[in-house]
Amino acid sequence: MKFVASSTRIALLLLLAVAPLRAQVSLSTVVDLALKNSPKVAMAQADLERATAALRQTKDAYIPNLAAGSSLGYSYGFPLGQPELFNFTSQGLVFDISQFSYIHAGKFGIQASLSSLLDIRQQVEADAALSYIQLDSDLQQQTVMTAEYGDAQKLGDIVQQRLDAGLDSKMDLTRAKLSGAQVHLKQLHLENEVASLRLHLQLLTGLPGESITTDSTSIPAAPDATAFAGVYTPPAIQAAYANAASKRAQAIGDHRQLYWPQISFAAQYARFASFNNYQAYYGNPSAPGGAAPDLFNNAVIGMQMTWPLFDRVRKAKADVSSAEADRAEHEADMNRNLAAEGQQKLRHSIEELSAQQDVASLDRDLAQEQMDAVNVQLADGTGNPSAPSITPKDAQNARIAAGQKSLDLLDADYQLRQAQLNLLRATGGLEAWIRSTTAATKP
């Protein structure tokens, strides 16, 4: 008996180890993990760091650099070049009016990167939220679909019995089998969709896909009309206009290079070697002994000014920059118009989908009432001797019809929620909506 009990425990432990552990994960947790693990967000963050470094580069042009070097070597006869033991060189920009424009371009570039980062975060939030809500809807549909498939199988058995009793035709049996096969096909499609959504959420969050189970209570209630009110410029449009402003500042700087001078600072110190006979050939004849007082320490400091007079290459480059700025501005205007048009379409679609949801809800209620009426008539009779009698087949068909209407309502609910979330993202209220349940649960 002890051996049997131990074997049973081992078998149970093996089953628990093989079976995937599933735990409910809230919507806000899924969104947070998606933001944390998203390569898109990481790429946008890297773009922001690159834009910040580019701005530092334009500003640091005014900070003189410092470099050290050496040109040691053996020479015979007349020394070629400068026999430097070591040297220090420093250079820096003093004045360039174009540089101010390039600094402005860098600042606009940071604004564009920040707006792009916010837009990418909203994309990831919307993707995670929609996938989560669709998975929640599909899991509910799976429950209804399982019951509907059982009803379809039972209907097939009833029709088979009626066929054997001569009450139904073979066509009725084929119709019942077709109904069951259609329900089974929908089941397979739904299972594949659930598996795909779990895999997508796994890639988004890093959680094991099989362990992801939704928590319907973590999904906030549908937003009301006030959530879509107000004027809002999406971050993608803000990024487009900031990018256009950056290109325009770049073009202004390129055009200023055609007419304004550039002033630079330069300084150098070099220590010459004494073993290259440099002093023998570069001595000072007026000095005693024909040698200069000091040939080994040499230094220079000064300013360099460059004033452009004629440069067709720079002119062409400035024209290219202006054309790119024009294109970026027109593209930003186009994206703004498309966004406004998209928001308007979403608002209209929400009205239609809301009406469609009402119709689906009434259809479901009507089918439920008809099923209840059929069940009552099946149990108690119609009360009218001349009316056709209600059979278990009729009751089963009513159950299948009610299940299908429930599925239609769940699908209509998801379609409406999807449009609402897309409009929330377009109007800037998505993140607040996602966090609303979390904020409501805090003391």
Side-chain angles (χ1 to χ4, degrees), residues 29 32-33 48 56 64-65 73 77 138 177 194 219 249 251 274 362 409 428 438:
T29 300
D32 289 338
L33 290 174
L48 176 59
R56 284 203 314 269
N65 58 25
D138 286 353
K177 288 182 178 180
V194 168
I219 301 176
S274 60
L362 291 173
L409 177 58
T438 305

Side-chain angles (χ1 to χ4, degrees), residues 236-244 247-248 323-339:
I237 307 304
Q238 297 178 21
Y241 277 109
N243 180 60
K247 290 183 179 294
R248 178 60 64 191
E324 290 179 349
D326 292 339
R327 186 187 187 282
E329 290 170 352
H330 295 319
E331 185 177 8
D333 291 338
M334 180 188 69
N335 291 337
R336 179 198 58 196
N337 295 336
L338 290 175

Side-chain angles (χ1 to χ4, degrees), residues 27 147 158 365 434:
L27 172 61
I158 292 173
D365 294 342
I434 292 174

Side-chain angles (χ1 to χ4, degrees), residues 50-250:
R50 180 183 61 182
T52 304
L55 177 60
R56 284 203 314 269
Q57 182 181 7
T58 57
K59 289 183 175 180
D60 291 347
Y62 292 98
I63 300 176
N65 58 25
L66 180 63
S70 177
S71 56
L72 284 174
Y74 172 77
S75 64
Y76 176 78
F78 189 88
L80 303 175
Q82 300 172 353
E84 297 174 344
L85 288 173
F86 55 86
N87 64 75
F88 294 97
T89 303
S90 179
Q91 292 180 335
L93 184 64
V94 175
F95 173 80
D96 187 350
I97 196 170
S98 298
Q99 202 67 19
F100 297 111
S101 299
Y102 297 151
I103 291 175
H104 290 155
K107 292 179 179 179
F108 284 124
I110 290 180
Q111 293 180 15
S113 298
L114 281 171
S115 298
S116 295
L117 176 58
L118 180 58
D119 181 60
I120 293 296
R121 287 179 61 88
Q122 290 184 358
Q123 288 181 23
V124 174
E125 288 175 344
D127 186 14
L130 285 172
S131 299
Y132 184 93
I133 293 173
Q134 185 177 5
L135 178 60
D136 183 70
S137 176
D138 286 353
L139 291 177
Q140 295 181 44
Q141 291 186 47
Q142 270 190 328
T143 302
V144 178
M145 189 75 71
T146 300
E148 185 178 353
Y149 183 66
D151 293 336
Q153 293 292 101
K154 189 174 181 179
L155 175 62
D157 296 338
I158 292 173
V159 174
Q160 180 66 56
Q161 294 173 4
R162 290 175 60 85
L163 177 62
D164 295 340
L167 299 176
D168 277 344
S169 65
K170 190 175 181 180
M171 183 182 298
D172 294 326
L173 180 59
T174 302
R175 189 178 292 112
K177 288 182 178 180
L178 175 61
S179 177
Q182 289 174 339
V183 174
H184 182 58
L185 178 61
K186 292 178 181 178
Q187 263 190 323
L188 293 177
H189 175 74
L190 200 58
E191 288 174 2
N192 292 335
E193 190 171 270
V194 168
S196 298
L197 287 170
R198 279 190 166 135
L199 176 60
H200 184 60
L201 288 173
Q202 174 183 346
L203 296 176
L204 284 176
T205 63
L207 296 173
E210 289 298 323
S211 68
I212 298 177
T213 301
T214 59
D215 180 9
S216 300
T217 60
S218 70
I219 301 176
D224 54 19
T226 59
F228 311 127
V231 179
Y232 176 75
T233 303
I237 307 304
Q238 297 178 21
Y241 277 109
N243 180 60
S246 177
K247 290 183 179 294
R248 178 60 64 191
Q250 179 76 29

